[in-house]
């Protein structure tokens, strides 16, 4: 005699809500374009990489939601690294503007999201008590800033171009000039930290950290092109850096007014 | 050829590096720059809910604490509601609780702490009750892409046993890696956790 288990019943079967394919979840992360946790060419990853499989879970409120930031969280000079730590003059270095759009995988701008950035000074030295590189600290340069994207996802900031610096991996490993970026998006599952590099830097193809990325196109997308159109004559060059966060099956934000 | 699907690709992750504090917690890097700073204190005097301290370490594959790690936590308020427009559940919002904070480990001991409240249980879209938990995101030098995990509470055994995410963890013996242990110290409630990046007690990390 066959005894059948009772059929599972979709709890939404008799829901009065109209059907929509937009459940608010984010597109599954394509991990083939990200560096693997264990990347032995970058030696620090060896002891710091999980070895078990990640447990895949469908998005719930815990992942779809995330912290909301507003202009009240920022100060007026936060996106101006030339001024936000200046004591008695401008910082040393090539003056640059970095600008771009935070988009999601559907191509929509991500509005009102917090973008944070930090970098070494023009000599390749970080203002950090654990950095002991022999290049000097610049008394007029802090090296960090932040911005909120506008309604279209656009952001911009002003800084000096960071210098390359040596680090302990192989005895002659040098980081290409780079700026670190931290981006939030609308949900905590979109949280991303990455680094922006500069077009034409010969250290890019030999960097043990950059080459943890297995996908050549994904690596190229971290390289910001020189953008002469956005450069300010007789003042600053510009680099364009667009950032793409995971897409979302959602309509929650389509009618949302701009943040405070 | 079918029509093309013109999605963009997500930007690749890169390690936060050893100097992540400069950008995210400049006071830890040793300087003061912003008028307003984010911190590991999520509560104000007006926040609703039971005050708790989260306290723990992240250990590498040799069992040594990471002393340059940065954690962010994201959680619901005491009523089980996230402070975000996409959470349309019934619990009341608390204007004095954003639900998010970040903290770096101590450069000597590796200890990380947060001052927050215990979140309420969350009801998901299908009406299922989920055990109270705090979402954790971990970045550091040597971590190529941020690690997502959760902290559940040791004094919530009954709801933990029914939690839909905890029940996905197999083998079941690994579920304990997600449970923070409650104790009381000098009248304060402390939940202690250890996040093991590797080894027999490797913490469960999620692909969210």
């Amino acid at each position: 005699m066959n005894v059948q288990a009772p059929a599972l019943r979709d709890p939404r079967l008799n829901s009065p809500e109209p059907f929509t394919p937009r459940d608010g979840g984010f597109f599954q992360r394509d991990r083939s374009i990200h560096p693997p946790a264990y990347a032995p060419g970058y030696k620090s990853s060896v002891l710091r990489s999980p070895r078990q499989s990640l447990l895949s879970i469908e998005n719930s409120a815990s992942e779809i939601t995330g912290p909301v930031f507003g202009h009240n969280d920022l100060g007026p000079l936060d996106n101006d690294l030339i001024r936000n730590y200046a004591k008695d003059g401008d910082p040393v270095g090539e003056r640059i503007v970095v600008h771009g759009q935070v988009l999601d995988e559907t191509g929509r701008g991500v509005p009102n999201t917090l973008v944070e950035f930090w970098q070494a000074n023009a000599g390749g030295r970080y203002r950090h008590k654990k950095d002991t590189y022999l290049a000097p600290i610049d008394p007029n340069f802090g090296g960090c800033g932040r911005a909120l994207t506008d309604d279209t996802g656009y952001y911009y900031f002003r800084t000096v171009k960071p210098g390359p610096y040596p680090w302990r991996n192989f005895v002659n490993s040098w980081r290409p000039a780079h700026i670190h970026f931290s981006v939030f998006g609308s949900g905590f599952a979109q949280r991303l930290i990455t680094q922006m590099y500069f077009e034409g830097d010969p250290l890019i193809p030999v960097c043990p950290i950059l080459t943890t990325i297995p996908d050549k196109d994904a690596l190229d997308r971290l390289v910001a092109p020189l953008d002469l159109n956005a450069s300010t004559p007789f003042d600053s060059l510009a680099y364009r850096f667009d950032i793409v966060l995971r897409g979302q099956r959602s309509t929650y934000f389509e009618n949302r007014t701009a943040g405070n | 050829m079918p029509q093309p699907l013109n999605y963009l690709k997500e930007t690749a992750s890169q390690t936060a590096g050893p100097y992540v504090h400069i950008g995210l917690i400049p006071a830890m890097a040793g300087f003061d720059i912003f008028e307003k700073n984010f911190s590991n204190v999520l509560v104000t005097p007006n926040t609703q809910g039971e005050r708790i301290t989260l306290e723990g370490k992240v250990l590498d594959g040799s069992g040594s604490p990471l002393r340059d790690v940065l954690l962010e936590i994201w959680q619901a308020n005491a009523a089980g509601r996230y402070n975000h427009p996409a959470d349309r559940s019934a619990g009341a919002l608390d204007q004095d609780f954003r639900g998010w904070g970040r903290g770096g480990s101590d450069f000597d001991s590796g200890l990380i702490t947060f001052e927050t409240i215990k979140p309420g249980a969350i009801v998901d879209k299908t009406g299922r009750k989920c055990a109270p938990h705090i979402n954790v995101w971990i970045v550091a030098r040597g971590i190529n892409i941020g690690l997502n995990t959760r902290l559940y509470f040791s004094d919530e055994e009954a709801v933990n046993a029914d939690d839909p995410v905890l029940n996905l963890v197999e083998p079941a013996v690994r579920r304990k890696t997600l449970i923070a242990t409650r104790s009381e110290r000098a009248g304060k409630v402390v939940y202690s956790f250890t996040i093991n990046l590797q080894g027999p007690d490797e913490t469960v990390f999620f692909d969210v």
Side-chain angles (χ1 to χ4, degrees):
Chain A
M1 190 176 71
N2 290 327
V3 178
Q4 222 172 354
L8 291 172
R9 187 178 161 86
D10 183 340
R12 295 159 296 191
L13 201 59
N14 296 319
S15 163
E17 298 265 330
F19 164 76
T20 166
R22 301 179 180 223
D23 65 356
F26 291 104
F27 301 173
Q28 181 178 306
R29 181 165 255 162
D30 177 0
R31 293 201 172 248
S32 72
I33 57 133
H34 289 287
Y38 174 71
Y42 173 28
K43 295 181 184 182
S44 296
S45 75
V46 173
L47 280 177
R48 294 181 168 201
S49 42
R51 300 301 160 86
Q52 305 292 324
S53 299
L54 301 179
L55 178 57
S56 296
I57 50 173
E58 56 269 45
N59 286 173
S60 68
S62 298
E63 291 78 34
I64 292 166
T65 63
V68 178
F69 301 97
H71 290 288
N72 290 338
D73 292 307
L74 305 184
L77 290 180
D78 281 6
N79 73 337
D80 188 352
L81 281 67
I82 287 181
R83 291 279 157 75
N84 69 5
Y85 200 75
K87 304 298 182 200
D88 58 4
D90 284 348
V92 173
E94 296 173 45
R95 299 160 66 88
I96 61 170
V97 169
V98 177
H99 73 133
Q101 221 183 345
V102 179
L103 303 161
D104 74 12
E105 289 170 293
T106 69
R108 278 185 294 210
V110 180
N112 311 309
T113 201
L114 184 66
V115 183
E116 298 165 289
F117 20 86
W118 67 101
Q119 62 171 90
N121 68 23
R125 175 78 183 267
Y126 284 98
R127 183 176 287 279
H128 191 291
K129 59 187 177 190
K130 295 291 181 188
D131 186 3
T132 55
Y133 179 39
L134 50 81
I137 288 281
D138 183 334
N140 293 308
F141 191 66
C144 59
R146 46 202 191 174
L148 213 54
T149 61
D150 72 8
D151 292 350
T152 67
Y154 183 69
Y155 75 91
Y156 59 91
F157 61 96
R158 183 167 76 156
T159 185
V160 294
K161 190 175 175 186
Y165 58 84
W167 59 295
R168 290 200 174 273
N169 192 66
F170 305 113
V171 287
N172 208 14
S173 294
W174 289 71
R175 295 302 326 278
H178 63 277
I179 300 178
H180 297 263
F181 276 76
S182 153
V183 194
F184 279 83
S186 62
F188 207 49
Q190 286 176 300
R191 194 80 180 84
L192 182 73
I193 277 186
T194 189
Q195 301 180 29
M196 178 201 112
Y197 302 88
F198 293 85
E199 176 183 6
D201 190 330
L203 292 168
I204 287 174
V206 294
C207 173
I209 288 179
L210 242 176
T211 52
T212 57
I213 298 172
D215 181 291
K216 173 74 167 63
D217 293 337
L219 190 156
D220 287 345
R221 287 193 297 271
L222 297 184
V223 182
L226 177 69
D227 184 359
L228 272 181
N229 288 343
S231 299
T232 316
F234 303 103
D235 183 329
S236 303
L237 284 175
Y239 288 85
R240 170 101 192 176
F241 188 54
D242 293 333
I243 298 166
V244 179
L245 303 179
R246 295 165 65 186
Q248 188 174 23
R249 294 181 294 275
S250 175
T251 56
Y252 292 129
F253 299 98
E254 286 173 357
N255 298 315
R256 187 175 152 205
T257 53
N260 56 346
Chain B
M1 286 282 281
Q3 297 177 12
L5 275 171
N6 292 318
Y7 292 112
L8 302 177
K9 292 281 195 182
E10 189 187 11
T11 297
S13 172
Q14 290 270 266
T15 179
Y19 307 128
V20 59
H21 317 89
I22 295 174
L24 306 189
I25 317 175
M28 284 194 72
F31 66 109
D32 179 29
I33 185 165
F34 298 133
E35 287 174 28
K36 296 165 186 173
N37 288 282
F38 302 122
S39 83
N40 59 340
V41 178
L42 285 74
V43 291
T44 74
N46 298 323
T47 304
Q48 304 288 311
E50 182 189 18
R51 298 296 188 275
I52 64 170
T53 299
L54 285 179
E55 181 182 281
K57 295 183 181 181
V58 179
L59 306 184
D60 72 12
S62 75
S64 307
L66 272 63
R67 296 177 301 166
D68 53 9
V69 69
L70 184 139
L71 264 58
E72 287 185 359
I73 61 172
W74 170 242
Q75 63 169 100
N77 68 21
R81 174 91 179 261
Y82 285 99
N83 190 351
H84 186 280
D87 185 351
R88 295 182 290 184
S89 61
L93 277 175
D94 179 350
Q95 295 309 319
D96 293 296
F97 192 65
R98 172 152 40 201
W100 171 84
R102 64 166 52 134
S105 58
D106 182 90
F107 287 125
D108 295 319
S109 67
L111 196 70
I112 304 147
T113 61
F114 290 97
E115 301 298 329
T116 185
I117 50 121
K118 190 175 175 189
I122 293 151
V123 178
D124 77 6
K125 284 177 293 192
T126 59
R128 281 185 310 186
K129 199 171 176 186
C130 307
H133 63 271
I134 291 179
N135 306 287
V136 180
W137 184 72
I138 304 161
V139 293
R141 170 177 69 89
I143 294 178
N144 287 324
I145 179 164
L147 299 170
N148 292 92
T149 186
R150 292 181 172 194
L151 291 175
Y152 289 82
F153 298 94
S154 62
D155 54 323
E156 297 284 350
E157 274 182 43
V159 272
N160 287 346
D162 285 338
D163 183 78
V165 169
L166 278 176
N167 279 303
L168 288 176
V169 176
E170 295 287 357
V173 68
R174 297 193 68 209
R175 292 173 194 169
K176 68 175 188 296
T177 68
L178 299 174
I179 313 276
T181 307
R182 183 182 178 110
S183 62
E184 291 196 23
R185 194 188 305 154
K188 282 171 64 173
V189 177
V190 178
Y191 283 93
S192 306
F193 64 89
T194 302
I195 293 170
N196 289 290
L197 297 180
Q198 295 175 5
D201 294 322
E202 181 176 316
T203 294
V204 173
F205 298 104
F206 296 103
D207 184 14
V208 298

